[in-house]
Amino acid sequence: MPDLEEQHPNAAGGGDFDVVVVGAGFAGMYMLHRLRGLGFSTRVLEAGNGVGGTWYWNRYPGARCDIESMQYSYQFSDELQQEWEWTERYAAQPEILRYANHVAERFDLRRDIEFDSRVRSAVYDDRSGRWTLETDSGRSGRRYSASYCVMATGCLSSPNNPRFPGMEHFEGPTYHTGQWPHEGVDFTGKRVAVIGTGSSAIQSIPIIAEQAAHLFVFQRTPNYAIPAHNAPLDPEYQRDFKARYPEFRARAKQMPTGVAFDYRDVSALEATPEERQEEYEKRWGRGGLAFLGGFKDLLFVKEANDTAAEFVRARIREKVQDPEVAELLCPTNIIGCKRLCVDIGYYETYNRPNVTLIDVSREPVEEITANGVRARGEEVAVDAIVLATGFDAMTGALLKIDIRGRGGLALAEKWNGGPRTYLGLCSAGFPNLFMITGPGSPSVLTNMIPSIEQHVDWIANCLAHLREEGFAEIEPTIEAEDAWVQHVNDVADLSLRSTCSSWYIGANVPGKPRVFMPYIGGFPAYVKKCEEVAAEGYAGFELAGARAAAE
Ligand code: N01
């Protein structure tokens, strides 16, 4: 039976619309639903052959969400959140993709989505005030014209493919976790190299190790992982959660991360060592990202952070039998500085006789040969290579598109020193262009689906306002944008998170400007700011068009 996502009655190509949305992940789907409800003619252009975005592409073994299923879901429709039954505490990729397909069916979204349509350019015409988008689809590409353009292109959707010397000579297959083959990969009896030890590697390594004849993991930097303690969802728990959904959702909105979990307003440094140990043990026992919610200063004060980091290092040393391997797996940097990982049997996997950890922290991978990977002066022969090397985060997918605003200004040129936005929603010089969870918004530091909903609602209300008030154009002022960028940088400087080489600051992609990209001031402060801006008649934006001309 073909995949559900391959049975879509596809929308026809090209044409003129009120709004073109790029991407049919959770952001693009809900944007379409809202715009339709407001009567805007809308077309969604999607590079893949189905909905789901991140969850469409990331099909690597073990791919799973690190936010609990009951919260990693839409809340715009109570019927939807009541009827969908999650099966596990943390949903696996196939289940989340089924959910995305269910949403597409339930709200009849596919008729306005064009699949297999990768947008290559989006160009603003100063005279007509319209955007023209071109795709790679069809024999010579297709053209779309729209008053408004919404980029729902995702934060972690442009794979980072380091160019190791000699890659083209490798005789076996190479897979990137973020572009995994739909038919899956059987590693049975194979010698496999995994390069990278971020979340994607930490999820896939235990499963690949079960299949492979031998697995070689090339680690540049070790990561902290907290056990998931994943389990089937107790139907009683799910019923109770659903009965109290408004309460949980409201509580989540008050949390910096947008996730309702147990956060304590207590300093780690003011607690006794016994109290800290007890708290960390309790949270280690419960599992998941809430580990860092135990004390309020963990992400702000190095000495506080050290206490949590040392706790996790001690657990790694307990789990990994070979002390040398355990030491290599123990991170020495700030815990939570890079995104914390949630694992299922990751560290224990290194106790298997068919798994070898290779440290490439001091000397990088030298080259890929016809037969394998050369590192530390030795060639490791493998049959397949897995690149778990992450993404050109937050800006990669946007800058892959040739986006040009007023006077032909290229977004890539404007952002060559790092992204500049007002609220992560818009950028000066690019009228009527919106980004969903763009750089400068909380996005990746929060629960993505509620953050997406907040952005989509803001954009939908903004477009309705423009129509009602007779405006045709909206663009942030450079002053408002500069002030926001400054604020984003100022709050980032308060957090330990801005101090390490993570993809949050673009450090994983050679040559990328180092700027802390997401807004770290927390979901509630951010939402308040967006609401104030709208309530003040879109303060910080210039509105233009028929009504502005008449005034
Ligand atoms: O990518 P990463 P990811 N030579 O950038 C290494 C989300 N996500 O796909 O740390 C050797 O974290 C790199 O090394 P280093 C989540 O937000 C969520 O794993 O740069 N190694 C690192 O070890 C996550 O944070 C889930 O020194 C190289 C690894 O590759 C984000 O996506 C699951 C290298 C990349 O790790 C990205 O995670 C999966 C090189 N040249 C992902 N280049 C959930 O649970 C890079 N590396 C929801």
Side-chain angles (χ1 to χ4, degrees):
M1 194 181 134
D3 283 356
L4 226 196
E5 77 250 27
E6 276 151 15
Q7 301 170 6
H8 52 78
N10 214 348
D16 294 352
F17 302 92
D18 293 329
V19 190
V20 168
V21 177
V22 183
F26 283 113
M29 286 202 292
Y30 180 46
M31 191 76 247
L32 169 60
H33 177 67
R34 279 302 316 269
L35 291 171
R36 240 192 220 166
L38 289 166
F40 287 104
S41 65
T42 306
R43 179 55 51 90
V44 180
L45 304 175
E46 165 57 51
N49 186 246
V51 297
T54 269
W55 302 103
Y56 172 86
W57 298 104
N58 283 267
R59 301 175 187 232
Y60 60 84
R64 187 180 288 283
C65 193
D66 57 4
I67 306 280
E68 296 190 18
S69 318
M70 296 308 295
Q71 299 197 57
Y72 190 81
S73 55
Y74 286 122
Q75 57 194 291
F76 70 84
S77 159
D78 191 47
E79 293 80 15
L80 172 65
Q81 70 179 0
Q82 292 297 334
E83 78 199 5
W84 183 262
E85 293 284 313
W86 294 103
T87 63
E88 292 179 273
R89 178 179 180 190
Y90 295 100
Q93 174 272 334
E95 184 166 25
I96 303 175
L97 190 57
R98 273 200 301 281
Y99 173 70
N101 277 294
H102 169 75
V103 173
E105 286 291 306
R106 195 185 194 289
F107 298 97
D108 188 21
L109 298 179
R110 287 198 182 86
R111 68 185 154 89
D112 288 318
I113 305 175
E114 261 176 74
F115 295 98
D116 300 313
S117 299
R118 184 173 287 284
V119 173
R120 59 175 173 227
S121 66
V123 178
Y124 178 74
D125 178 352
D126 294 274
R127 272 188 295 175
S128 67
R130 288 179 72 81
W131 283 91
T132 300
L133 291 94
E134 288 187 355
T135 63
D136 281 342
S137 38
R139 212 170 289 155
S140 52
R142 291 190 179 128
R143 285 178 139 236
Y144 304 78
S145 165
S147 305
Y148 301 98
C149 181
V150 180
M151 293 294 171
T153 41
C155 295
L156 293 158
S157 46
S158 176
N160 174 35
N161 276 304
R163 300 310 303 161
F164 296 106
M167 272 182 101
E168 63 285 4
H169 303 308
F170 182 58
E171 284 172 0
T174 301
Y175 308 100
H176 190 288
T177 48
Q179 285 177 322
W180 204 256
H182 287 203
E183 62 280 12
V185 182
D186 183 3
F187 291 110
T188 308
K190 302 268 192 300
R191 295 161 304 169
V192 183
V194 171
I195 303 181
T197 47
S199 297
S200 303
I202 282 176
Q203 290 184 331
S204 53
I205 281 169
I207 296 173
I208 298 175
E210 279 171 17
Q211 290 176 2
H214 203 99
L215 172 63
F216 301 90
V217 178
F218 293 81
Q219 173 183 273
R220 189 163 69 178
T221 317
N223 253 306
Y224 296 94
I226 309 297
H229 299 310
N230 187 43
L233 263 189
D234 173 14
E236 188 63 37
Y237 171 82
Q238 183 153 199
R239 252 195 313 278
D240 178 57
F241 206 103
K242 286 183 173 178
R244 295 162 57 203
Y245 245 138
E247 183 192 321
F248 286 115
R249 298 294 198 183
R251 185 142 63 84
K253 287 190 176 126
Q254 299 311 314
M255 307 297 290
T257 54
V259 186
F261 65 48
D262 175 20
Y263 170 82
R264 293 167 78 239
D265 198 20
V266 176
S267 156
L269 295 180
E270 284 167 17
T272 63
E274 294 72 29
E275 283 164 352
R276 281 198 297 263
Q277 184 71 13
E278 191 185 328
E279 188 61 28
Y280 294 143
E281 264 169 17
K282 193 171 79 190
R283 283 173 188 262
W284 185 263
R286 280 193 212 139
L289 297 175
F291 180 79
L292 285 178
F295 297 101
K296 66 177 180 185
D297 44 2
L298 293 181
L299 289 172
F300 296 95
V301 182
K302 168 84 170 58
E303 295 71 34
N305 189 280
D306 286 344
T307 65
E310 193 43 47
F311 176 88
V312 176
R313 283 192 288 266
R315 301 288 81 72
I316 297 171
R317 291 181 187 116
E318 278 169 10
K319 284 177 186 237
V320 179
Q321 287 154 6
D322 180 330
E324 271 178 42
V325 176
E327 257 351 270
L328 277 180
L329 288 168
C330 279
T332 50
N333 56 357
I334 306 283
I335 182 169
C337 197
K338 290 185 179 210
R339 165 105 172 188
L340 196 58
C341 303
V342 176
D343 81 290
I344 301 178
Y346 174 65
Y347 295 115
E348 294 84 341
T349 298
Y350 292 93
N351 297 332
R352 296 176 64 105
N354 69 334
V355 176
T356 305
L357 180 65
I358 300 171
D359 173 26
V360 289
S361 62
R362 286 192 206 93
E363 301 161 57
V365 168
E366 287 161 34
E367 63 167 330
I368 308 289
T369 64
N371 299 320
V373 181
R374 175 177 289 280
R376 301 164 62 109
E378 272 179 41
E379 185 187 70
V380 176
V382 293
D383 304 304
I385 298 176
V386 174
L387 296 175
T389 45
F391 302 91
D392 182 354
M394 305 212 68
T395 54
L398 287 166
L399 296 182
K400 258 192 190 166
I401 303 171
D402 185 9
I403 301 177
R404 289 179 187 261
R406 281 193 195 286
L409 173 67
L411 189 68
E413 196 184 314
K414 179 178 171 185
W415 286 8
N416 67 8
R420 301 192 72 79
T421 70
Y422 183 38
L423 301 172
L425 279 161
C426 296
S427 193
F430 299 83
N432 293 355
L433 179 84
F434 296 90
M435 290 160 263
I436 301 178
T437 63
S441 75
S443 60
V444 291
L445 300 176
T446 60
N447 185 359
M448 283 303 280
I449 296 186
S451 273
I452 283 169
E453 286 182 312
Q454 184 260 337
H455 261 195
V456 167
D457 288 336
W458 192 96
I459 295 167
N461 295 341
C462 173
L463 295 191
H465 173 84
L466 296 179
R467 185 174 60 186
E468 266 161 39
E469 299 293 318
F471 292 111
E473 202 163 271
I474 181 163
E475 181 183 349
T477 66
I478 199 78
E479 293 78 19
E481 180 173 291
D482 287 348
W484 183 252
V485 170
Q486 188 60 47
H487 176 61
V488 171
N489 291 336
D490 289 346
V491 287
D493 286 345
L494 299 175
S495 166
L496 293 172
R497 273 189 160 147
S498 60
T499 62
C500 67
S501 297
S502 66
W503 56 258
Y504 294 135
I505 63 162
N508 61 332
V509 178
K512 191 167 174 171
R514 296 208 173 191
V515 173
F516 194 84
M517 293 181 284
Y519 176 60
I520 204 169
F523 188 69
Y526 176 78
V527 172
K528 184 164 174 271
K529 171 73 181 173
C530 290
E531 286 173 357
E532 281 166 8
V533 164
E536 288 162 17
Y538 294 89
F541 286 95
E542 285 211 357
L543 309 187
R547 164 158 163 192
E551 278 173 355

